[in-house]
Amino acid sequence: YHSPTLTSMRDVSPEQIRVTTIVELCAHHQPLRKIFATNPAAATNPPPLTQAAHHQPALDGIVVAGQILRCDKLRLVIAFRVIMADEKNSPNRQVISLQAISQNFLGALQRQFDLLAFNLAATQSIEEEKYSSMCSLTHAMPVANAHMPFDAMKTYAHGLIMRQALNDTLSLAAACMDNCHLLCTLIAHKAAMEANPKETNELVGKKQNAFVHSAIQDKFEVFEKDFNITSSLEDAITTLAIALRILVQRNGVVSAEDVDEDGELVFEFKTVQIIKSPTPEGKPEIRLADTRRAFKIGDTIDLTNSEILSLNITTADFFHRLFKAVDSFGAKILGKDGGSNEGK
């Protein structure tokens, strides 16, 4: 696998590997999120380094054990011991922070927003002549009789962009929750980790592995049960999973099993409202506002361009609240003023 800072695991020593790079990979590649799960078996029988370089199953050769160093506001710092393949006898301590996680996931969310805006702008501005010209570049088509006309293709492309946006947003939200769950689990087991690191390490690994493979609704339940962390945006995030299932299984047609007691499937969005026009010297005064879009049984889910982009604004607000809640939980466990259990 590759990242902006690492070309191949084969080219570097464990001392050169930064845990923040692993966090960055997790932000973009959902299958790699389990890289943080502890695998005690890999510590005793790690794969060769060359195998770990290019095959995902061998990533279990990276064994992580955590210990709390300090906790400042949005800077929950944990020291990790990284044992990389045949370097297991030379463990290297690395540092990861809540701030680093927030920067990686919010950065990934911004890149997703930019790509969405680019794709939506492209589909909105494309002309039929350009579409026809591009289709004729190869002088042939796989099945010419099935070729989509211009207007049908625009509708189809919009649907694909909407589906991909829902999937990517949901994947980022789940990956972010996975990383925050690991931090909270290590915090909760701080004393046990110091007293009996081997057994505690195994326990943390099992909990993290179960959490990573759980449904999005179950993740919220675990946060509330284990850490007393709740989110007012839970319904907004879980609706994304329901909507994605509807799009994949029934081409977006809402059925009775998808709606609430009022007979609706409700999307909740965070939108930005301008409450004071900008002056020549400054920026406009804005605020986040709650908006909703309801679909009834038999309706087909079809979000506007603005609503698709607002998925990212909603998720960004969810991230900020989650990061503050994790910071509050860590401060509370470590004997500091933890504040409320949800970021405001």
Side-chain angles (χ1 to χ4, degrees), residues 23-188:
V23 175
E24 180 179 339
L25 283 170
C26 292
H28 296 291
H29 305 286
Q30 184 177 2
L32 293 179
R33 288 189 283 112
K34 68 176 183 178
I35 198 172
F36 283 105
T38 302
N39 186 347
T44 58
N45 186 27
L49 184 58
T50 53
Q51 183 183 3
H54 298 288
H55 302 282
Q56 180 190 333
L59 290 177
D60 286 339
I62 298 178
V63 181
V64 179
Q67 180 181 5
I68 305 296
L69 289 182
R70 62 184 184 275
C71 180
D72 305 317
K73 185 171 181 59
L74 277 182
R75 291 177 180 270
L76 183 61
V77 181
I78 295 179
F80 282 91
R81 182 175 72 254
V82 180
I83 305 175
M84 189 64 186
D86 57 347
E87 299 289 337
K88 78 168 189 173
N89 294 324
S90 302
N92 179 40
R93 295 178 68 84
Q94 301 286 350
V95 174
I96 185 172
S97 70
L98 181 60
Q99 184 183 43
I101 292 177
S102 68
Q103 289 174 345
N104 276 282
F105 279 98
L106 289 171
L109 198 59
Q110 180 61 49
R111 288 187 290 274
Q112 179 175 301
F113 179 92
D114 294 341
L115 183 59
L116 269 176
F118 184 89
N119 288 337
L120 290 171
T123 57
Q124 189 171 10
S125 61
I126 189 173
E127 299 175 352
E128 185 172 1
E129 182 181 352
K130 295 288 186 181
Y131 174 62
S132 299
S133 175
M134 188 62 64
C135 290
S136 64
L137 280 180
T138 56
H139 306 292
M141 298 182 186
V143 187
N145 291 337
H147 172 63
M148 278 191 177
F150 178 71
D151 290 338
M153 191 66 239
K154 285 191 71 172
T155 302
Y156 180 73
H158 179 84
L160 283 182
I161 292 174
M162 177 180 63
R163 182 183 301 185
Q164 190 63 48
L166 286 168
N167 180 74
D168 291 347
T169 303
L170 186 64
S171 296
L172 273 180
C176 184
M177 294 179 75
D178 291 345
N179 282 271
C180 289
H181 175 267
L182 175 60
L183 292 180
C184 290
T185 304
L186 290 170
I187 294 169

Side-chain angles (χ1 to χ4, degrees), residues 74 101-113 165 168-170 172-174 176 180 231-233 236-237 240 268-272 288 308-325 342-344:
L74 277 182
I101 292 177
S102 68
Q103 289 174 345
N104 276 282
F105 279 98
L106 289 171
L109 198 59
Q110 180 61 49
R111 288 187 290 274
Q112 179 175 301
F113 179 92
D168 291 347
T169 303
L170 186 64
L172 273 180
C176 184
C180 289
S231 175
S232 59
L233 291 173
I237 299 300
L240 303 182
E268 298 176 2
F269 301 100
K270 290 289 183 180
T271 57
V272 177
L288 279 181
I308 293 174
L309 289 169
S310 292
L311 294 173
N312 293 269
I313 306 300
T314 306
T315 306
D317 188 40
F318 168 66
F319 282 178
H320 282 295
R321 291 170 179 264
L322 179 59
F323 297 145
K324 290 181 180 180
E342 179 184 359
K344 300 300 183 184

